[in-house]
Amino acid sequence: MKKTVAGKIGILGGTFDPVHFGHLRTAEEIGHELSLQRVFLIPAASPPHKIHDPVTPFDHRLAMVRLAVRESALLEALDLEGRRVGLSYSFDTLKELRSRFGMKAEIFFLVGSDAFIEIRTWKNYQALFEYANFVIIPRIGSDLGTLHNFILGLDKDVKKQDRKNVYTMSSGNNVIILRSTLLDISATGIRDMVRGGKPITFLVPEAVRTYIHREELYRVHENNR
Ligand code: ATP
């Protein structure tokens, strides 16, 4: 187990069904770029936005994240959403992290632009900016102008800093748009490939690939899971 730290920490939440090199490279690269001491990958137990889609049991998704983070000293799996009952809201997770790491910890919430653009649908979304800085990673095809206007519309006192792509919210926390190497990989694509008998080598860590095959994940159609 890696030593737990407080200070500057990053978190990347997701369904991770399964975790892949797109997630891992982003977490690693942003973590280095912002000199974070640790980036926690937090699988959602019951993702509210996937309530109508069948999702692989939490224990499998967590096991795959644990295998994946072994490849990096910076990344760590955190199972706190699995220990809560009910839907997994980022608001509850941030509150829990605050009480775990204290008020002095600087938290950076890493999120792809595709997910961030939905933030108005998240529980208590305005309060999220009280708890953490946000780092938005533009996904392939996302338009920076749209993202810029979207951020300005979130908070009437938001201030764009002279530094490129840094916005300070009225809470004092920042929203930062930061590019990372874009790997055009999606968990949906990986599940489809496994189901279609295609190789997923070089899309996920080898230990994750072996786990998927050993546990016979993603063999049957999602609706029959
Ligand atoms: P699915 O295809 O099942 O919707 P996904 O591959 O998009 O899954 P999620 O677990 O939903 O993965 O994503 C978790 C977080 O990682 C989100 O913030 C998402 O924007 C980001 N993310 C997903 N894929 C990539 C990628 N290839 N590169 C960078 N970030 C990614």
Side-chain angles (χ1 to χ4, degrees), residues 8 23 25 30 33 50 54 58 79 88 91 108 117 121 123 127 143 146 149 151 153 159 206 208 221:
K8 268 174 93 173
H23 303 129
R25 179 66 209 174
I30 301 286
E33 184 74 24
K50 297 212 169 155
F58 177 78
D79 66 349
S88 307
F91 175 73
F108 292 80
I117 219 90
T121 65
K123 179 181 166 188
D143 175 53
T146 308
N149 290 331
I151 297 167
K159 286 193 185 62
E206 192 52 20
V208 173
H221 193 272

Side-chain angles (χ1 to χ4, degrees), residues 99-191:
S99 62
R100 181 187 283 217
F101 293 117
M103 289 315 287
K104 283 204 181 129
E106 255 191 287
I107 301 178
F108 292 80
F109 191 109
L110 279 47
V111 58
S113 54
D114 57 322
F116 184 76
I117 219 90
E118 303 289 327
I119 198 166
R120 286 183 201 274
T121 65
W122 299 12
K123 179 181 166 188
N124 295 356
Y125 81 91
Q126 271 151 331
L128 298 175
F129 302 108
E130 307 280 338
Y131 286 100
N133 300 285
F134 273 71
V135 182
I136 308 166
I137 302 108
R139 299 287 302 274
I140 289 170
S142 83
D143 175 53
L144 278 193
T146 308
L147 208 48
H148 168 85
N149 290 331
F150 181 77
I151 297 167
L152 292 182
L154 285 175
D155 178 341
K156 64 180 171 38
D157 293 321
V158 60
K159 286 193 185 62
K160 168 103 171 67
Q161 301 296 332
D162 293 339
R163 275 180 300 151
K164 253 174 101 187
N165 297 333
V166 177
Y167 303 79
T168 303
M169 309 304 271
S170 48
S171 65
N173 279 322
N174 289 327
V175 173
I176 307 163
I177 303 175
L178 202 53
R179 290 198 177 279
S180 80
T181 305
L182 287 179
L183 302 176
D184 195 3
I185 304 175
S186 75
T188 307
I190 291 172
R191 296 194 298 274

